[in-house]
Amino acid sequence: NAGVMQNPRHLVRRRGQEARLRCSPMKGHSHVYWYRQLPEEGLKFMVYLQKENIIDESGMPKERFSAEFPKEGPSILRIQQVVRGDSAAYFCASSPNRGRTYNEQFFGPGTRLTVL
Amino acid sequence: DQQVKQNSPSLSVQEGRISILNCDYTNSMFDYFLWYKKYPAEGPTFLISISSIKDKNEDGRFTVFLNKSAKHLSLHIVPSQPGDSAVYFCAVILGPMNRDDKIIFGKGTRLHILP
């Protein structure tokens, strides 16, 4: 059973370009979470998605950032018109169906975005 | 304002000794507490957790202690091994009654195990 997969692992963009980060959850997992880690910081929650639904996007910047988790295919985190401050490691995590108890989130290896 | 605080950015411990990593939190409503371990260029991996109804949970060399009145938890690793060298994140979630399980992370403590 493959783990959470993220690609690309490294992404370099110039200011003003778009960045697309992909996340394939573990098999059987229908919940996806995106986190961002700025240098010397902990991971910060961005968005929580289920298939075709955004459940909680309270951690997403109001502009330029969007996320989706379509019925088929990976979850996509999209950053439009990137700025230097977007340079960070972006981690995706997945978990199985949510029950009455906490379900462990399994993290992918991350995508390191560098904005020149 | 940080809800989860790890006040020691780094910690060095001799191999074979006990490593103690500390964490403080601000919200008494937090229901579930976790420790994650992270190696460079990898994602965090879950290490151990504790529910708010307990004060101790043990898994092999790892023990987590929770002091709810002090809003403090700690991770003990004994004996420490070279492979334990990593960044350790303390994390909390609000619990299953909340609508999601988003994790709130501390900034991490870098643990160095010295030979």
Side-chain angles (χ1 to χ4, degrees):
Chain A
N1 189 8
V4 178
M5 299 179 69
Q6 289 188 249
N7 67 82
R9 294 292 309 273
H10 300 273
L11 182 61
V12 179
R13 286 286 178 266
R14 297 191 181 280
R15 279 180 297 169
Q17 291 184 318
E18 178 179 288
R20 277 182 181 247
L21 289 66
R22 292 174 190 77
C23 168
S24 297
M26 286 180 71
K27 189 176 179 181
H29 285 193
S30 57
H31 298 231
V32 165
Y33 301 77
W34 285 93
Y35 295 84
R36 175 166 69 172
Q37 184 183 23
L38 295 169
E40 307 302 322
E41 296 284 324
L43 284 75
K44 292 223 164 36
F45 168 80
M46 299 182 76
V47 62
Y48 162 43
L49 309 108
Q50 294 177 23
K51 286 282 187 184
E52 300 184 280
N53 281 308
I54 296 175
I55 307 301
D56 182 351
E57 56 182 346
S58 59
M60 289 277 269
K62 293 285 184 278
E63 297 175 349
R64 302 186 297 107
F65 285 71
S66 62
E68 61 176 8
F69 188 15
K71 190 175 179 182
E72 301 291 336
S75 175
I76 307 284
L77 179 67
R78 183 179 175 214
I79 311 172
Q80 295 178 289
Q81 298 175 322
V82 296
V83 301
R84 288 220 174 100
D86 296 334
S87 295
Y90 292 81
F91 293 95
C92 168
S94 73
S95 69
N97 287 336
R98 189 163 178 270
R100 292 180 59 81
T101 58
Y102 171 70
N103 281 312
E104 178 189 340
Q105 294 180 24
F106 294 84
F107 282 81
T111 293
R112 185 164 298 279
L113 172 66
T114 302
V115 179
L116 302 176
Chain B
D1 192 25
Q2 272 193 284
Q3 298 185 69
V4 181
K5 298 177 185 177
Q6 293 179 258
N7 291 320
S8 298
S10 67
L11 176 69
S12 294
V13 174
Q14 207 76 36
E15 182 179 353
R17 298 287 188 107
I18 182 171
S19 296
I20 300 176
L21 296 96
N22 292 302
C23 177
D24 298 293
Y25 60 94
T26 57
N27 189 342
S28 58
M29 296 299 292
F30 289 141
D31 191 51
Y32 209 84
F33 305 87
L34 312 99
W35 286 93
Y36 278 81
K37 178 178 177 179
K38 185 181 180 305
Y39 293 118
E42 293 184 13
T45 54
F46 170 76
L47 195 57
I48 193 169
S49 64
I50 188 167
S51 164
S52 60
I53 61 173
K54 294 187 175 181
D55 55 18
K56 177 183 174 181
N57 188 26
E58 194 171 348
D59 183 2
R61 296 186 298 114
F62 302 91
T63 303
V64 56
F65 295 92
L66 176 63
N67 182 336
K68 286 205 75 174
S69 61
K71 299 196 192 77
H72 178 85
L73 68 155
S74 61
L75 174 68
H76 293 213
I77 308 172
V78 56
S80 301
Q81 297 175 355
D84 296 331
S85 294
V87 177
Y88 289 79
F89 290 100
C90 172
V92 302
I93 63 169
L94 282 170
M97 297 308 293
N98 195 42
R99 65 181 179 136
D100 60 40
D101 288 334
K102 68 183 177 191
I103 302 174
I104 302 170
F105 287 88
K107 288 191 176 185
T109 296
R110 186 176 299 277
L111 177 64
H112 299 272
I113 303 301
L114 306 170

